[in-house]
Amino acid sequence: MDALVFLTAAAHLVYTPFTKVEESFNLQAMHDILYLRNNFTQYDHHEYPGVVPRTFIGPLIVSILSAPFVLLFETMSINKFWAQYVVRLVLAGAISIAWNNLRQAVTKIYGIEVRLWFTAITITQFHFIFYMTRPLPNIFALPLVLYAIAYWMRGQFKPFIICSGISIIVFRSELALFLGLLLALDLVQQKLSIDGLLKIALPAGVCILAATVLVDSFFWRRLLWPEGEVLWYNTILNKSSNWGTSPLLWYFYSALPRAMGVSLAFVPIGIYFEPRIRPLALSALGFVLLYSLLPHKELRFIIYVFPVLNISAACACQRMWMNSAKSAWHSFLALIAASHLLLNVLITIFLLVVSGTNYPGGAALSRLHRLEATNANVSVHIANLAAQSGVSRFMEIHTDWTYSKDETMNYTQAEIARYSHLLVEAKNKHNTELWTALQEDFETLEFVDCFNSIGIQYNSLFPVRIKTKPCIGILKKKFKVVIDLPKEKKIQKDKIVKDNKKTKHKKDKTKTDKLDPKEDTPLETVAQEEPILTIQADSRDFSEQISMVEPKIELEFDDDDGIVATVEETSLELNTDAVEATKEINFQELRNLALEHTTRKSRAVTKLKLRKIIEQHYRAKGRHIENDSAEHPKPVGARTGMRQSVKSIIKQEKIKEMIEQIATMDLTRICDLEKTSTKDCLKQVIDKIDDESIKV
């Protein structure tokens, strides 16, 4: 039973392994202490200091406890993302120990039955367990607060004052409201004298303040008391409201119901029937009421009161269960007390699934690592949204990759030239121009979805549906090469391309001009004269020099092979948007096509993209579908503009048949889409269909 809370927190961590921007300082600090060690100038907080400074004491203690595991990982060459699990589990372990100490105090005062209910209620709720592994200042203070509450319940004033002092002076100054109310009760009830308080509090406070100033001034390279600056900024200046405000009673009608679940209904019952819990529970509610005066509100700010209110709820449930044999009504109340735990579990599962969609940045970088696992020449820029929704230094697992979170990035040609990949916010009405510019140099590998809204579906076993939307785009630079031909061959090639374009676009003419035999050299002849393929090499970075390369010639293929030469021409035939048709295909489009969840226009666009991939794939393999152009060279002066030859019709029909086959396939049964891009998977499918048709 002692490890149950820790194991539940670990399960939450496995399901949601990434972190948010609020956790970034402490997480990056633990990374830097563990991996950069005495290279203090490279610590993340020098480049990204945040709005207010935070203490290093919490990250330092967790890092010291995690160091043996990290050294073992380095010895075994295990990538450092696993160390992120370790530091968060160490934090959860510290909270579990403190929570078990509180549970022992509950057992001593209220009995074993209340302890069992207290445990069951805690592990079935979401927010307390979920936050146990989150490296937030509130969570670093939580073990000390739990110890302080346990000491107060036992009447041990000295350790209560010391734990309270550390949590207030080092981590969260607002705890003076909560723990101060408990201290005031002892003074009013004369359990503790003012002289006794000062004898403990003054020397302890001076030592605690000196410790945090000494440690944090060293890391921040200036004299400071971090929590003092936070108190001044958030409370005195009220600058925290810059990050959003909520109504006065938001904690009572929103935060507490979500955090406590159905158990909240039992809190007033426990306060009414159990006099011993009243001082503690009412002090907790008084703290929430006082803290509501601050306009900026977040659920994590009042996380310290959840265990206290759970004790009250446990007292109510135990009383109902104990009286279950008295009458049918009491039995019914006992059943309600037991069944509310199941409702808590359902709420927790739902909230956990929603939370899993809130970290698109971490999911996008993790996905990029799998897509480019064999590529050493990767330089990726991580945009602001991705950096705030899951990306951390622990995720920089490739030493030969370049990771950048440059916040001054304006996506100019000079800036994007430095990167081979981009993690950018998905296309929306605010960044349409940016995406239009980026698509000239980058192709979209995939989109990563994130939470959008919650909907109701009436034709499903689960009536609640979590709706997502594309949030982060994974972009890869289009690699271009230069083909250098001798000067006279370039002139000859330009004339051939010009003549081919003329004959291709003659739609209404019945007369075909004769071509000069000297100029009508077949394309195959030009290709046989060994053009020189060069990629310029100099001192510049590989990704930079690739971006500087521009194609010097553009090869055009005859229409008579049954494959349409340009996407724009096919788009006109299908009455679709040519710009939309040039975008990269993604798995969601194929899934919608297979499930017939498409409009006529979107279906045509997706099939056009499939046609383009088939065309590119066969040309990359050096042959067309029927190999006709290689086996039967066209004679000089042939009518290349004729689109409706028998050969063309056969080849077009074969492509259409292949497109229709792919449109009904479930790619997840053919490819591992976690390791293979949608485009590469389609190429495998094309080869498979082609092989089967050859056998037939």
Side-chain angles (χ1 to χ4, degrees):
M1 291 291 288
D2 291 346
L4 200 55
V5 168
F6 174 77
L7 293 176
T8 308
H12 282 61
L13 170 60
V14 171
Y15 189 79
T16 55
F18 306 114
T19 56
K20 277 288 188 72
V21 62
E22 297 88 351
E23 308 161 57
S24 62
F25 170 77
N26 288 311
L27 191 67
Q28 312 290 35
M30 291 186 286
H31 168 274
D32 295 343
I33 293 169
L34 289 168
Y35 286 97
L36 298 181
R37 293 161 192 169
N38 61 350
N39 189 9
F40 300 113
T41 59
Q42 297 300 313
Y43 276 32
D44 184 80
H45 70 285
H46 295 310
E47 187 175 0
Y48 304 101
V51 179
V52 289
R54 290 293 183 182
T55 181
F56 268 84
I57 290 180
L60 184 61
I61 294 173
V62 172
S63 298
I64 291 172
L65 297 174
S66 306
F69 299 97
V70 172
L71 293 174
L72 178 63
F73 290 170
E74 289 181 335
T75 303
M76 300 175 64
S77 299
I78 298 175
N79 78 64
K80 61 183 180 182
F81 185 64
W82 291 100
Q84 180 168 311
Y85 283 96
V86 170
V87 296
R88 293 177 62 184
L89 286 173
V90 168
L91 179 60
I95 296 172
S96 297
I97 292 171
W99 183 86
N100 279 321
N101 180 61
L102 176 62
R103 193 174 67 131
Q104 291 173 5
V106 170
T107 305
K108 181 179 179 181
I109 297 171
Y110 303 103
I112 296 176
E113 292 81 5
V114 174
R115 181 191 71 181
L116 294 174
W117 281 103
F118 177 56
T119 303
I121 290 172
T122 301
I123 63 175
T124 58
Q125 292 171 343
F126 173 70
H127 284 92
F128 182 81
I129 299 295
F130 180 79
Y131 275 110
M132 282 176 63
T133 61
R134 302 278 150 187
L136 294 157
N138 314 79
I139 307 307
F140 279 101
L142 186 56
L144 292 165
V145 176
L146 294 177
Y147 268 108
I149 294 171
Y151 289 134
W152 183 85
M153 292 171 66
R154 295 187 181 109
Q156 297 174 304
F157 302 117
K158 184 175 181 179
F160 164 71
I161 294 171
I162 293 174
C163 287
S164 299
I166 297 173
S167 61
I168 293 168
I169 296 173
V170 177
F171 295 107
R172 297 297 301 189
S173 56
E174 73 269 10
L175 283 167
L177 294 175
F178 180 28
L179 300 174
L181 287 173
L182 297 180
L183 183 61
L185 286 174
D186 290 334
L187 292 174
V188 170
Q189 296 174 357
Q190 297 183 348
K191 294 180 180 179
L192 178 66
S193 65
I194 295 179
D195 289 341
L197 170 63
L198 295 177
K199 287 179 181 179
I200 302 171
L202 287 179
V206 170
C207 292
I208 294 167
L209 181 61
T212 182
V213 170
L214 183 64
V215 172
D216 293 311
S217 297
F218 171 79
F219 281 102
W220 285 97
R221 297 190 295 186
R222 66 183 177 90
L223 185 65
L224 84 163
W225 170 30
E227 194 54 30
E229 293 195 16
V230 173
L231 176 65
W232 179 263
Y233 182 90
N234 287 340
T235 306
I236 307 301
L237 299 179
N238 195 25
K239 289 291 188 67
S240 62
S241 59
N242 294 341
W243 311 105
T245 61
S246 300
L248 178 66
L249 299 178
W250 181 84
Y251 284 128
F252 291 95
Y253 70 74
S254 179
L256 284 175
R258 284 184 288 123
M260 297 287 295
V262 185
S263 303
L264 182 63
F266 296 88
V267 172
I269 300 174
I271 294 174
Y272 179 78
F273 284 106
E274 181 54 78
R276 291 174 295 179
I277 195 63
R278 289 174 192 169
L280 184 58
L282 292 176
S283 296
L285 293 174
F287 162 70
V288 175
L289 183 61
L290 290 173
Y291 204 52
S292 296
L293 298 176
L294 198 66
H296 179 61
K297 299 176 177 63
E298 293 185 38
L299 184 145
R300 60 188 174 94
F301 293 166
I302 61 168
I303 194 171
Y304 328 103
V305 307
F306 300 161
V308 173
L309 299 181
N310 282 343
I311 296 173
S312 179
C315 291
C317 291
Q318 189 273 336
R319 186 178 183 87
M320 291 179 181
W321 191 262
M322 180 181 63
N323 295 328
S324 60
K326 290 184 176 180
S327 66
W329 170 248
H330 287 89
S331 298
F332 177 70
L333 293 177
L335 180 62
I336 291 176
S339 60
H340 102 273
L341 297 176
L342 178 59
L343 294 176
N344 277 353
V345 170
L346 295 176
I347 295 171
T348 295
I349 293 173
F350 174 73
L351 293 176
L352 186 61
V353 173
V354 171
S355 297
T357 64
N358 281 331
Y359 304 91
L365 186 55
S366 179
R367 180 64 176 148
L368 180 61
H369 284 149
R370 291 194 291 271
L371 290 175
E372 301 291 346
T374 59
N375 190 355
N377 298 300
V378 172
S379 177
V380 56
H381 179 264
I382 301 162
N384 191 41
L385 178 60
Q388 292 185 357
S389 58
V391 175
S392 72
R393 284 193 169 189
F394 281 105
M395 295 195 70
E396 298 176 3
I397 60 177
H398 292 301
T399 56
D400 50 0
W401 284 27
T402 301
Y403 301 87
S404 173
K405 295 188 295 182
D406 183 8
E407 294 180 340
T408 62
M409 178 82 157
N410 291 318
Y411 297 96
T412 63
Q413 284 296 324
E415 289 175 324
I416 64 176
R418 300 195 298 266
Y419 303 105
S420 62
H421 294 75
L422 302 174
L423 300 183
V424 298
E425 186 175 356
K427 187 175 181 180
N428 55 57
K429 63 181 180 181
H430 303 294
N431 63 2
T432 304
E433 293 182 2
L434 171 63
W435 269 86
T436 302
L438 290 178
Q439 286 179 334
E440 295 179 2
D441 299 298
F442 290 83
E443 60 177 335
T444 304
L445 296 181
E446 285 186 15
F447 285 102
V448 175
D449 289 355
C450 67
F451 177 78
N452 183 29
S453 62
I454 298 173
I456 304 296
Q457 50 187 10
Y458 301 99
N459 57 349
S460 174
L461 179 62
F462 301 99
V464 179
R465 178 189 175 192
I466 300 170
K467 298 180 180 179
T468 59
K469 63 179 180 180
C471 275
I472 304 291
I474 306 175
L475 275 60
K476 181 178 181 180
K477 188 182 289 294
K478 296 177 181 177
F479 292 100
K480 303 175 183 179
V481 297
V482 177
I483 301 179
D484 289 332
L485 297 175
K487 185 175 181 180
E488 62 276 8
K489 294 175 184 175
K490 289 181 183 178
I491 296 173
Q492 187 181 48
K493 178 61 188 172
D494 289 341
K495 291 180 180 179
I496 295 169
V497 172
K498 184 176 180 181
D499 288 338
N500 283 341
K501 285 183 177 179
K502 286 181 179 180
T503 57
K504 181 195 304 182
H505 294 292
K506 287 180 181 178
K507 301 290 183 180
D508 302 322
K509 291 185 179 181
T510 57
K511 180 179 178 181
T512 305
D513 296 333
K514 288 187 177 181
L515 301 176
D516 189 340
K518 294 181 180 179
E519 295 180 357
D520 192 23
T521 307
L523 182 58
E524 292 79 7
T525 306
V526 178
Q528 290 173 2
E529 295 184 6
E530 299 182 358
I532 302 171
L533 180 65
T534 62
I535 297 180
Q536 299 173 358
D538 54 25
S539 59
R540 289 194 299 266
D541 182 79
F542 174 77
S543 61
E544 182 178 351
Q545 63 169 283
I546 284 294
S547 67
M548 301 296 292
V549 179
E550 294 294 338
K552 293 189 177 180
I553 66 170
E554 190 174 315
L555 300 182
E556 292 283 346
F557 291 88
D558 201 316
D559 281 333
D560 194 47
D561 62 356
I563 302 175
V564 179
T566 63
V567 176
E568 289 79 9
E569 186 176 346
T570 310
S571 299
L572 292 173
E573 294 178 0
L574 293 176
N575 193 27
T576 60
D577 185 358
V579 175
E580 184 69 25
T582 58
K583 297 180 182 178
E584 290 291 328
I585 197 166
N586 58 63
F587 172 70
Q588 187 63 40
E589 289 182 76
L590 294 172
R591 184 169 64 178
N592 290 340
L593 186 63
L595 296 174
E596 298 183 356
H597 294 166
T598 56
T599 63
R600 181 179 179 182
K601 182 177 179 180
S602 64
R603 183 168 58 253
V605 170
T606 304
K607 289 186 177 181
L608 177 56
K609 292 180 181 180
L610 286 173
R611 186 185 190 92
K612 180 184 175 184
I613 291 174
I614 295 171
E615 170 190 354
Q616 292 174 343
H617 185 52
Y618 275 106
R619 285 176 179 163
K621 292 172 67 175
R623 65 183 179 86
H624 301 306
I625 291 183
E626 297 293 335
N627 294 313
D628 295 299
S629 60
E631 296 173 8
H632 307 289
K634 293 186 285 291
V636 175
R639 297 181 63 185
T640 58
M642 296 291 292
R643 297 177 56 98
Q644 295 301 322
S645 66
V646 175
K647 193 185 302 179
S648 172
I649 294 172
I650 293 173
K651 293 174 184 178
Q652 290 187 34
E653 288 302 320
K654 185 164 186 177
I655 294 174
K656 289 179 181 178
E657 182 181 345
M658 187 176 291
I659 291 172
E660 293 302 326
Q661 283 185 264
I662 296 174
T664 60
M665 289 183 175
D666 181 4
L667 295 187
T668 58
R669 298 185 179 181
I670 301 172
C671 308
D672 184 358
L673 294 176
E674 290 294 317
K675 300 179 180 179
T676 308
S677 68
T678 304
K679 192 171 182 179
D680 290 337
C681 180
L682 284 172
K683 291 177 181 179
Q684 296 177 24
V685 173
I686 293 167
D687 288 336
K688 183 178 179 181
I689 295 174
D690 196 32
D691 291 341
E692 291 176 354
S693 65
I694 292 173
K695 291 178 182 179
V696 174

